[in-house]
């Protein structure tokens, strides 16, 4: 059994940034385990631009962004294994070390002993089986991510007449990509009354190409036995059930599903890591450490991000925290403060903080549960309002954030809970009463 100080599971943007950060903070013995044939993860198939504005102050494509970090990993001589699937993470007997079981075609099944582990497995698309769409199972039905890989990496066009169900960012981007490749995207249907993607993607991928987006609509029928021939969509009511009489039939040969992403956490769960029921990702503290000592999490395995720049930023923090853990050991008993999401805030990352351990500035990220207009993000320490930031529009498709400072926390030595909530602006309240 080979020993490493730090094993990172996943060689996508999160795993790469975490490895670079850990090395830069003094950890020499690092191994990245990646199941694909190359480093870079999902970025390798994201050939559109828009990446890197926060991290590198310039606009890059996905492969270009990944290459920046791959070069940093190689420049630091960080070891990695490709085509390697991690099967299990378990604690070794009588030790805080972890036993990582993995396999590949060269080494077969093998075990690695790690003092710390960073989970960076990314996320996966929701399967069609979970969507309960009636009809046969003909050819021509793809997840948006699979279609993206076929077009951008394998050189295949999945179809010529396309309907897309779901308005997540990958679905929106594929609406544009399929159009540019000569296909006709007839409609994008979204079950929710709001889009799940970034506003800029709605404008650049749909509006610029006159592709209609129908909110509060879903697919209720798929025609065709060997190949998709047509789909029928219908409007849904507040109960998410189809409204009779609103059916619209579209002939097509392809249906793309962009119905959300789920953090890839089967390994985490089997390792005893507590998962957040809202995000399906691990519950972590301000150092991105899970309830399992020496096991950290970052990137889309933690919560699904809208910008890869934020993935890299959080992963760098996780790498630094893992390095401190390896150098100093577990922090031991330390005070923790819960961060409570309320009134429209669905969750927060992190879920709790250690005021005596955290950095001076901590970014807390979250998503809202509906569309809010002319409202504010309010932060309370106990019952005392600490900050209120006005936001003209907030939507579930775009991540929000607040910044907590250690110096401000020190003014509240008995603080047990921080609350982050959405509140109406005063002028909006006044308008309602007039």
């Amino acid at each position: 059994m080979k020993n490493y100080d730090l094993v990172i599971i996943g060689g996508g943007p999160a795993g790469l940034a975490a490895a670079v950060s850990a090395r830069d903070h003094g950890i020499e013995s690092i191994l990245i385990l990646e199941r694909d044939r190359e480093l870079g993860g999902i970025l390798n198939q994201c050939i559109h631009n828009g990446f890197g504005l926060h991290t590198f102050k310039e606009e890059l494509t996905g492969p270009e962004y990944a290459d920046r970090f791959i070069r940093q990993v190689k420049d630091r001589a960080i070891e990695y294994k490709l085509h390697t699937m991690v099967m299990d993470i378990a604690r070794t007997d009588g030790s805080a070390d972890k036993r990582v079981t993995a396999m590949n075609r060269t080494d077969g099944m093998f075990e690695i002993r790690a003092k710390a582990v960073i989970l960076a497995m990314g996320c996966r698309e929701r399967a069609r089986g979970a969507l309960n769409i009636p009809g046969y199972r003909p050819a021509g039905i793809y997840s948006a991510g699979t279609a993206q890989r076929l077009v951008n990496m394998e050189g295949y066009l999945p179809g010529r007449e396309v309907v897309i169900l779901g308005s997540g960012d990958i679905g929106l981007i594929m609406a544009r990509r399929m159009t540019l490749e000569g296909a006709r995207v007839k409609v994008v249907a979204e079950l929710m009354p709001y889009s799940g993607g970034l506003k800029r993607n709605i404008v650049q991928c749909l509006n610029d190409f006159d592709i209609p987006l129908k909110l509060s609509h879903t697919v209720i029928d798929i025609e065709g036995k060997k190949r998709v021939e047509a789909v029928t969509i219908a409007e849904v009511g507040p109960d998410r059930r189809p409204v009779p009489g609103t059916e619209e039939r579209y002939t097509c040969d392809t249906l793309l599903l962009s119905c959300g992403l789920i953090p890839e956490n089967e390994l985490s769960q089997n390792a005893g890591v507590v998962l957040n029921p809202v995000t399906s990702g691990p519950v972590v503290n301000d150092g991105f450490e899970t309830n399992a000592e020496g096991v950290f999490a970052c990137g889309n395995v933690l919560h699904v991000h809208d910008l890869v720049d934020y993935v890299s930023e959080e992963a760098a923090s996780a790498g630094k925290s893992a390095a401190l853990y390896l150098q100093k050991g577990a922090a031991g008993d330390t005070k923790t403060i819960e961060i409570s999401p309320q009134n429209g805030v669905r969750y927060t990352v992190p879920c709790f903080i250690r005021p005596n351990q955290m950095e001076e500035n901590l970014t807390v990220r979250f998503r809202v549960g509906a569309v809010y207009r002319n409202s504010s993000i309010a932060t309370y320490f106990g019952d005392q309002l600490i900050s209120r930031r006005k936001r003209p529009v907030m939507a579930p498709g775009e991540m929000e954030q607040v910044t907590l400072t250690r110096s401000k926390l020190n003014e509240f030595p008995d603080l047990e809970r921080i609350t982050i909530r959405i509140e109406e602006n005063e002028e909006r309240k006044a308008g309602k009463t007039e």
Side-chain angles (χ1 to χ4, degrees):
M1 184 185 299
K2 198 166 183 180
N3 297 328
Y4 288 88
D5 287 340
L6 177 61
V7 169
I8 298 172
I9 304 173
L16 296 172
V20 169
S21 177
R23 172 58 58 84
D24 290 347
H25 286 91
I27 305 304
E28 295 295 325
S29 176
I30 303 173
L31 175 66
I32 301 172
L33 299 175
E34 168 55 47
R35 66 184 177 185
D36 208 347
R37 64 191 179 192
E38 57 192 338
L39 296 174
I42 196 69
L43 290 178
N44 290 318
Q45 67 186 54
C46 299
I47 64 173
H48 54 280
N49 59 7
F51 302 92
L53 290 172
H54 295 270
T55 306
F56 298 110
K57 310 304 179 188
E58 58 181 307
E59 196 170 25
L60 305 171
T61 65
E64 288 172 334
Y65 186 96
D67 184 65
R68 297 284 178 97
F69 280 98
I70 292 170
R71 280 187 283 167
Q72 291 180 42
V73 164
K74 292 180 176 179
D75 289 345
R76 289 161 176 77
I78 296 173
E79 190 176 345
Y80 59 89
K81 284 180 178 289
L82 302 177
H83 291 294
T84 301
M85 177 69 75
V86 175
M87 311 301 293
D88 187 51
I89 307 167
R91 178 167 291 190
T92 57
D93 295 335
S95 169
D97 291 356
K98 272 60 69 178
R99 185 179 68 253
V100 179
T101 304
M103 66 179 300
N104 58 39
R105 65 181 66 180
T106 303
D107 304 311
M109 188 85 75
F110 61 95
E111 291 185 347
I112 298 167
R113 189 184 183 105
K115 295 179 180 177
V117 171
I118 295 180
L119 307 172
M121 295 89 72
C123 58
R124 59 184 169 85
E125 294 180 281
R126 293 184 188 275
R128 182 201 171 189
L131 303 176
N132 297 318
I133 301 174
Y136 291 96
R137 301 296 184 265
I141 301 175
Y142 303 86
S143 72
T146 298
Q148 186 181 53
R149 186 177 183 91
L150 287 172
V151 174
N152 293 347
M153 298 188 72
E154 309 297 338
Y156 295 104
L157 185 64
R160 291 288 181 180
E161 291 188 304
V162 185
V163 170
I164 299 178
L165 174 61
S167 61
D169 286 314
I170 300 177
L172 297 176
I173 289 166
M174 282 310 296
R176 176 178 63 185
R177 189 77 180 100
M178 295 289 284
T179 301
L180 292 174
E181 289 296 326
R184 182 186 175 198
V185 179
K186 293 191 168 182
V187 68
V188 176
E190 169 57 56
L191 177 67
M192 304 301 287
Y194 49 79
S195 171
L198 293 169
K199 284 178 287 188
R200 73 182 189 195
N201 284 335
I202 296 172
V203 173
Q204 296 173 3
C205 301
L206 299 187
N207 297 351
D208 288 355
F209 294 91
D210 295 323
I211 298 171
L213 170 62
K214 298 211 168 187
L215 301 176
S216 298
H217 280 71
T218 193
V219 172
I220 61 170
D221 188 38
I222 300 172
E223 299 176 33
K225 292 185 178 181
K226 292 184 178 180
R227 176 85 190 195
V228 173
E229 297 174 1
V231 300
T232 299
I233 70 171
E235 186 177 353
V236 298
D239 58 358
R240 305 285 183 262
R241 293 185 178 182
V243 177
T246 63
E247 298 85 356
E248 296 177 68
R249 183 178 180 271
Y250 293 86
T251 57
C252 62
D253 59 15
T254 304
L255 173 64
L256 300 188
L257 306 176
S258 178
C259 301
L261 301 169
I262 306 171
E264 191 74 80
N265 270 302
E266 184 179 355
L267 270 178
S268 313
Q269 201 164 19
N270 292 341
V273 171
V274 173
L275 302 183
N276 186 318
V278 176
T279 63
S280 298
V283 173
V284 296
N285 62 21
D286 55 281
F288 296 92
E289 187 174 12
T290 70
N291 63 293
E293 182 188 329
V295 178
F296 300 79
C298 59
N300 284 345
V301 80
L302 182 58
H303 61 138
V304 178
H305 291 66
D306 50 3
L307 297 179
V308 71
D309 301 78
Y310 295 155
V311 168
S312 301
E313 182 182 318
E314 289 185 358
S317 296
K320 180 180 179 179
S321 295
L324 292 174
Y325 168 81
L326 290 166
Q327 292 158 352
K328 299 180 179 179
D333 293 333
T334 183
K335 177 182 177 181
T336 60
I337 300 174
E338 176 191 1
I339 302 179
S340 176
Q342 294 182 10
N343 197 39
V345 178
R346 297 191 66 229
Y347 69 90
T348 65
V349 172
C351 299
F352 59 94
I353 61 174
R354 306 157 300 166
N356 298 325
Q357 303 288 326
M358 62 177 272
E359 301 281 338
E360 172 56 30
N361 294 308
L362 173 69
T363 299
V364 178
R365 292 195 169 94
F366 59 91
R367 290 183 188 270
V368 295
V371 176
Y372 293 89
R373 300 182 185 278
N374 299 317
S375 299
S376 296
I377 302 170
T379 304
Y380 290 83
F381 286 4
D383 295 328
Q384 183 169 336
L385 177 65
I386 299 301
S387 67
R388 188 194 302 271
R389 180 162 57 91
K390 292 183 178 181
R391 298 284 283 119
V393 179
M394 289 179 280
E398 306 210 16
M399 201 169 285
E400 300 289 342
Q401 65 183 46
V402 298
T403 301
L404 303 180
T405 61
R406 184 173 177 178
S407 55
K408 188 65 177 179
L409 282 168
N410 289 340
E411 298 176 14
F412 297 79
D414 300 322
L415 183 62
E416 296 181 351
R417 176 177 294 183
I418 296 170
T419 301
I420 301 176
R421 53 185 286 129
I422 305 303
E423 296 181 346
E424 291 185 348
N425 293 338
E426 292 301 322
E427 56 268 28
R428 187 179 177 193
K429 289 182 182 178
K432 283 186 174 182
T433 58
E434 289 176 357

